[in-house]
Amino acid sequence: MGMAKAIITKLLNRAGIDINGTSPWDIQVHDERFFGKVLRQGSLGLGESYMDGWWDSTHLDQFFERLLRRGVPAVSLLNLQELSWWLKSRLVNLATEEKSVAVAKRHYDLGNDLYAAMLDPSLAYSCGYWKSLSWDSKCLAAAQSAKYNLICRKLGIKAGQKILDIGCGWGGFARFAAANYQVQVVGITISKEQAIGAKEKCQGQPVEILSLDYRKLRHELGPSVHFDHVVSVGMFEHVEPKNYREFMEIAHALLKPEGLFLLHTIGGHGFVPGHDPWMRKYIFPVAQLPRRPQIHRSVEDLFRCRDWHEFGKYYDPTLMAWYERFTQAWPQLKSRYEDREGGRFFRMWQYYLLCCAGAFRSGNLELWQIVYSHPEYHDNYHWIR
């Protein structure tokens, strides 16, 4: 135990984090088993020991910002189990249709009441666009509307067009585009709860919501159906690298030659070639963050890149707004969720939101909006910000 404590203390000190210190980013250790668990299990042990109440930090987001920005490399928190998972991911497709449905049940089907309490009224579960807005939870709805409008403007959407939304969530973009740009939208999701919520919210609008895996799109819609534009927001993170080419081929086949395809996704970089092991176990099973080279390879000979817009800094205020709304709503949510994960749901969700906020604030994670066209697209494309 003494050696484990010395090693973990040294690693944290490199990031300016003290054990039982007085700064808001320092950690307070309540159980000495914390040190051995983190040394053995890396980031998985860090998250699980927090869920178990073995340690706290006054500002968990600042703890992670410092951890990731100020000198603790990802390899310091790796372990053999994580390396084994990565090797398996290189050999086996971890995002089959069956496993993708399991992801939806594990996370997106938790309960629409949880997401309604945490998210803005449109139920946008992706980064808002905070340009010209105060980074304040009161502006969350405005930031999400600004994101929807930015997408529509980048695509050059015109009244009467037909849009495909791959991974439509609760239908927020579909409703916005239909109401503000007078278009028809077909949205797909594999989440049962999302589909129910989206259909309810989209009633009376020219929006069709399909409970469908993206791999069945061409078969379901038929060879004669094409869309003026295709959009996918916050779904590509679940596709898995072995499926990137198929995903792009489907978007390519369904997009009209003169249309545009916008991909909105979180992107990763650094040493760890997958997703955080704690995040995979408790939040997003089998998820992996794409890298720029992987995306470039997947679109080769299919699309030309017209715009690559990085605004990951805006995920920080988005996540902090979600965290504020979640904690404020917890007294109403508690009776339904407090017994999940062995009574650790609140601390699990708190850890999830704040570690992600710190990761984006540190620059360890990025957020990309990429606009693609068919190679034969001849219009001059103008960047929209």
Side-chain angles (χ1 to χ4, degrees):
M1 182 65 71
M3 181 178 294
K5 183 174 182 178
I7 293 172
I8 298 302
T9 299
K10 184 177 180 180
L11 279 173
L12 293 179
N13 286 166
R14 286 174 57 184
I17 298 167
D18 291 330
I19 306 295
N20 301 325
T22 58
S23 297
W25 51 80
D26 290 334
I27 68 170
Q28 312 302 313
V29 175
H30 311 306
D31 191 317
E32 291 286 312
R33 289 178 295 174
F34 160 81
F35 298 103
K37 187 174 181 69
V38 174
L39 188 62
R40 290 190 307 272
Q41 299 181 357
S43 59
L44 177 62
L46 185 69
E48 289 187 335
S49 61
Y50 182 84
M51 290 168 61
D52 289 332
W54 292 3
W55 65 279
D56 278 297
S57 178
T58 305
H59 288 283
L60 198 58
D61 53 314
Q62 294 184 28
F63 164 79
F64 278 105
E65 178 190 9
R66 285 189 165 244
L67 191 70
L68 295 168
R69 176 180 283 175
R70 301 188 60 183
V72 179
V75 70
S76 298
L77 295 179
L78 274 177
N79 53 44
L80 292 177
Q81 184 178 8
E82 170 63 5
L83 290 173
S84 174
W85 182 92
W86 175 66
L87 289 172
K88 180 180 179 182
S89 74
R90 298 295 298 271
L91 300 173
V92 179
N93 188 345
L94 298 178
T96 62
E97 291 184 34
E98 294 78 11
K99 290 177 181 176
S100 295
V101 170
V103 172
K105 290 180 179 179
R106 178 73 173 85
H107 188 79
Y108 295 101
D109 289 347
L110 272 172
N112 284 345
D113 58 338
L114 169 65
Y115 292 106
M118 185 179 82
L119 307 177
D120 73 297
S122 78
L123 295 181
Y125 197 19
S126 57
C127 182
Y129 193 57
W130 297 79
K131 186 177 181 180
S132 304
L133 290 170
S134 170
W135 289 23
D136 187 292
S137 62
K138 297 183 180 68
C139 295
L140 178 62
Q144 296 296 4
S145 292
K147 187 259 303 291
Y148 294 147
N149 193 51
L150 180 69
I151 291 171
C152 291
R153 292 174 61 218
K154 285 182 175 182
L155 293 174
I157 289 178
K158 296 179 176 61
Q161 291 184 330
K162 192 169 184 179
I163 315 299
L164 173 64
D165 185 355
I166 303 177
C168 66
W170 289 274
F173 170 77
R175 294 194 304 278
F176 181 92
N180 293 278
Y181 286 83
Q182 294 75 55
V183 294
Q184 300 177 57
V185 185
V186 173
I188 69 163
T189 176
I190 59 172
S191 165
K192 178 181 177 181
E193 291 297 317
Q194 285 186 338
I196 291 171
K199 288 175 182 178
E200 289 176 352
K201 288 180 172 292
C202 292
Q203 283 186 347
Q205 296 192 45
V207 174
E208 182 181 9
I209 303 296
L210 302 176
S211 297
L212 193 67
D213 188 282
Y214 72 93
R215 284 162 283 206
K216 295 180 178 178
L217 260 171
R218 283 188 285 182
H219 175 75
E220 182 74 17
L221 298 176
S224 63
V225 175
H226 297 87
F227 294 86
D228 295 288
H229 302 290
V230 177
V231 63
S232 183
V233 179
M235 177 268 189
F236 194 65
E237 298 89 335
H238 301 295
V239 170
E240 210 272 334
K242 290 188 182 299
N243 299 326
Y244 288 172
R245 182 67 178 185
E246 181 181 12
F247 179 91
M248 296 300 183
E249 288 174 346
I250 291 168
H252 178 271
L254 292 169
L255 180 66
K256 291 181 179 179
E258 66 276 16
L260 294 171
F261 167 41
L262 184 142
L263 181 69
H264 174 118
T265 180
I266 298 170
H269 58 82
F271 177 80
V272 184
H275 211 301
D276 176 80
W278 181 88
M279 201 71 67
R280 279 201 313 273
K281 181 174 180 178
Y282 291 98
I283 307 297
F284 297 117
V286 310
Q288 292 192 65
L289 298 180
R291 311 297 175 102
R292 289 174 187 256
Q294 292 174 319
I295 295 179
H296 289 317
R297 288 193 296 269
S298 72
V299 302
E300 190 172 357
D301 301 324
L302 294 176
F303 290 117
R304 286 183 60 191
C305 180
R306 299 290 177 168
D307 185 18
W308 193 298
H309 183 187
E310 200 285 318
F311 56 94
K313 65 179 181 180
Y314 293 146
Y315 234 132
D316 179 8
T318 302
L319 284 154
M320 295 306 293
W322 291 347
Y323 172 72
E324 182 178 327
R325 289 175 60 84
F326 168 70
T327 54
Q328 289 176 348
W330 181 247
Q332 290 75 48
L333 298 169
K334 186 176 180 180
S335 61
R336 181 173 177 185
Y337 293 95
E338 66 176 336
D339 292 333
R340 301 190 184 197
E341 300 298 339
R344 304 178 298 171
F345 183 87
F346 178 80
R347 290 181 69 89
M348 179 188 79
W349 210 252
Q350 181 184 44
Y351 187 89
Y352 155 52
L353 295 173
L354 293 179
C355 78
C356 288
F360 278 103
R361 195 180 306 159
S362 72
N364 193 260
L365 296 179
E366 298 181 353
L367 188 282
W368 304 323
Q369 273 193 3
I370 315 165
V371 178
Y372 290 114
S373 73
H374 284 288
E376 60 269 28
Y377 177 96
H378 296 301
D379 290 352
N380 290 324
Y381 184 80
H382 300 286
W383 293 358
I384 303 293
R385 294 292 182 266

